[in-house]
Amino acid sequence: MTKFLLVLHVLAAIVAVGPVTVAASMFPPSARRALADPDNPRATETVRLLHRICRVYAALGIAVPVLGMATALSMGVLHDTWLIVSMVLTGIAAAVLLALVLPRQEEIIEAVEAVEAGTATTAVDVAVNPRVTVRLAMFTGIFNLLWATVTILMIVRPGSTTGA
């Protein structure tokens, strides 16, 4: 059962977290293109699609810690320091995504749509400027670094008796 849970946990991490990290990283430059060229429907659609990917896969991502907890319980490592640190970092990553990345993506999409619809003449009218997309890129980078750290902890497992 442990191996089955571990396989599900790893697959969930790859399938759910991978798309979020890639789409979230692609969002800021795509948003800058959409804001710079509001007459380009492809740029606007790209931004919407990337945000949709982030939202949907973030929701699916809840399976990763749930399966991780079940796997840890099955392995008897629930109280190991490396796992506790991983759980804390996972919680922080989720908070960054939910509180800093997704809301800013939504604000930028609203700005893109306002410029596209002609209700705002420039991105400045809707309080979107390059600093907003740069800040979003920073938050996305923090999210990605947190997940990379969790991945490393899952592989290396400091103090593990398995020799890995």
Side-chain angles (χ1 to χ4, degrees):
M1 186 61 153
T2 299
K3 288 182 182 181
F4 177 71
L5 288 171
L6 183 58
V7 167
L8 288 179
H9 172 63
V10 171
L11 285 174
I14 292 167
V15 170
V17 179
V20 174
T21 59
V22 172
S25 296
M26 292 172 64
F27 188 94
S30 296
R32 283 190 286 275
R33 278 192 297 279
L35 288 166
D37 187 8
D39 296 326
N40 183 349
R42 187 171 184 178
T44 302
E45 280 306 312
T46 299
V47 170
R48 286 185 187 121
L49 175 64
L50 291 171
H51 177 63
R52 192 174 319 121
I53 290 169
C54 289
R55 268 187 333 188
V56 169
Y57 284 91
L60 294 175
I62 192 68
V64 176
V66 169
L67 289 166
M69 292 287 282
T71 304
L73 190 60
S74 175
M75 293 173 69
V77 295
L78 201 53
H79 300 292
D80 287 9
T81 304
W82 65 270
L83 186 66
I84 294 168
V85 170
S86 294
M87 290 188 296
V88 169
L89 293 175
T90 297
I92 295 170
V96 167
L97 181 64
L98 296 174
L100 301 173
V101 174
L102 293 176
R104 280 174 176 75
Q105 285 183 351
E106 290 169 8
E107 290 171 7
I108 291 170
I109 287 173
E110 288 173 8
V112 167
E113 290 172 348
V115 171
E116 181 185 48
T119 58
T121 56
T122 66
V124 176
D125 292 343
V126 286
V128 173
N129 59 47
R131 291 176 58 180
V132 173
T133 57
V134 169
R135 201 170 297 125
L136 174 59
M138 177 189 68
F139 293 137
T140 300
I142 291 168
F143 170 77
N144 291 342
L145 282 173
L146 288 165
W147 272 114
T149 305
V150 169
T151 302
I152 291 167
L153 285 171
M154 291 289 136
I155 294 168
V156 175
R157 300 178 315 242
S160 171
T161 58
T162 64

